[in-house]
DNA sequence: TGACAATTGAAAATGAATATCATAAACTAT
DNA sequence: ATAGTTTATGATATTCATTTTCAATTGTCA
């Protein structure tokens, strides 16, 4: 099943409608799988394909997509949200944020199983998700003086 | 060395001044070591001791304290920042956020050494800090129907 | 003490995100 | 396809945390 069928199905399931705007927004997010686009950036890209769209619609749709589990909301401490496509296979990755150039690098793999098990046990806390960011200096910036 | 000496020293080091406002703000943060206060909450508490203080001063000071490494900025996805005292010994803790009641529980211990080593090696990324949040259901909420 | 730079408080400004509301578009059952 | 119902949209106004501005104040140090 492709992303659009997933969208259609999830919308129907909850009584939401499949609109052109929602289709185009998903389209843009899918075309930028490896990026971490902000709401404004998505708005700008969507406007190229659908110039009549309003900014509020983009915000509303991203929020809806997050609730539907289609996208993942990211926060890199910039005072704005970013989004990436939720991919079952590739979702388990962490973000490495360079303090010098600001680049965001992905570290694939989850590697938190042991820690999560320990937390569930010692805190009796049922973990359903996590958010992990590492701050430091990327290979590029390390090599410069 | 206590926190105030640390403040004094770090300020002097960078040519900043030791003001009453800064002293009172640090005071409030120290009196709430285990809490995760927002800027507004800190403002309200500070006003009790120093009613003339302005909100902007609190914001400016918290930003300064973060730069000086005296406090740690936290983000629990509420659209506002929170702060906690930076404690050398106790800083290595993660936050468990309950999706039902919103409570934030601390999980002491770092337990990311292996993962960080792996990242430094495979990505040639020098890690200086990290930010880890776990979302789920706290023991209280698990036991309710 | 006096000079000078840093700091402050009040108010205005910013900017991301949300709410409002009249119009438009999608779905449903005929 | 059509009418009827409901959700969605776009433009705009609004909210709210945070930042900026700027004149007046305060801390530091010789
Ligand atoms: Zn870099
Ligand atoms: Zn990513
Ligand atoms: Zn709870
Ligand atoms: Zn904490």
């Amino acid at each position: 099943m492709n992303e659009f069928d997933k969208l259609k199905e999830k919308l129907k399931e909850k009584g939401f409608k499949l609109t052109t705007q929602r289709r185009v927004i998903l389209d843009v997010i899918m075309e930028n799988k490896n990026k971490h686009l902000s709401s404004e950036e998505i708005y700008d890209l969507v406007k190229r394909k659908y110039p009549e769209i309003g900014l509020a619609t983009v915000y509303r749709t991203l929020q809806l997509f997050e609730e539907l589990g289609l996208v993942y909301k990211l926060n890199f401490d910039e005072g704005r949200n970013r989004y990436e496509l939720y991919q079952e296979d590739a979702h388990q990755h962490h973000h490495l944020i360079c303090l010098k150039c600001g680049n965001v690098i992905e570290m694939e793999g989850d590697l938190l199983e042991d820690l999560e098990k320990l937390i569930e046990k010692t805190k009796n806390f049922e973990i359903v998700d996590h958010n992990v960011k590492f701050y430091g200096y990327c290979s590029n910036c390390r090599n410069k003086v």
Side-chain angles (χ1 to χ4, degrees), chain A:
Chain A
M1 178 161 39
N2 68 36
E3 294 296 322
F4 287 105
D5 290 334
K6 249 192 251 174
L7 173 62
K8 218 163 156 179
E9 195 178 73
K10 291 195 176 193
L11 287 174
K12 193 161 191 179
E13 197 175 287
K14 309 224 172 164
F16 297 125
K17 291 171 181 175
L18 180 60
T19 64
T20 313
Q21 290 88 336
R22 287 174 180 171
R23 247 196 293 252
V24 175
I25 291 170
L26 183 58
D27 208 12
V28 162
I29 295 170
M30 283 175 59
E31 284 171 7
N32 293 279
K33 270 202 176 68
N34 50 331
K35 306 242 185 67
H36 305 102
L37 299 176
S38 69
S39 314
E40 288 295 323
E41 284 167 352
I42 292 171
Y43 174 58
D44 289 340
L45 290 170
V46 168
K47 259 201 305 202
R48 294 192 201 163
K49 300 181 180 228
Y50 195 98
E52 319 88 289
I53 201 159
L55 178 59
T57 301
V58 174
Y59 274 97
R60 279 186 293 236
T61 303
L62 291 172
Q63 204 173 285
L64 177 66
F65 282 6
E66 202 211 348
E67 283 158 21
L68 296 178
L70 289 164
V71 301
Y72 217 79
K73 185 163 76 178
L74 308 169
N75 185 315
F76 296 149
D77 304 297
E78 318 156 284
R80 93 192 49 187
N81 290 325
R82 295 185 172 274
Y83 293 88
E84 71 183 359
L85 190 66
Y86 184 95
Q87 299 175 82
E88 251 136 83
D89 46 331
H91 170 246
Q92 306 82 347
H93 69 258
H94 305 307
H95 293 111
L96 318 182
I97 301 161
C98 181
L99 295 169
K100 189 147 183 224
C101 69
N103 257 14
V104 177
I105 296 139
E106 308 207 325
M107 172 71 190
E108 47 301 311
D110 210 29
L111 310 161
L112 291 175
E113 292 82 8
D114 290 349
L115 178 52
E116 297 201 343
K117 260 180 217 147
L118 182 64
I119 291 172
E120 301 227 332
K121 207 165 156 186
T122 62
K123 297 288 177 185
N124 190 26
F125 186 93
E126 182 192 348
I127 296 174
V128 301
D129 198 6
H130 59 234
N131 182 314
V132 180
K133 290 176 282 188
F134 293 97
Y135 298 92
Y137 300 97
C138 75
S139 54
N140 254 333
C141 296
R142 289 183 81 169
N143 295 330
K144 287 175 199 158
V145 186

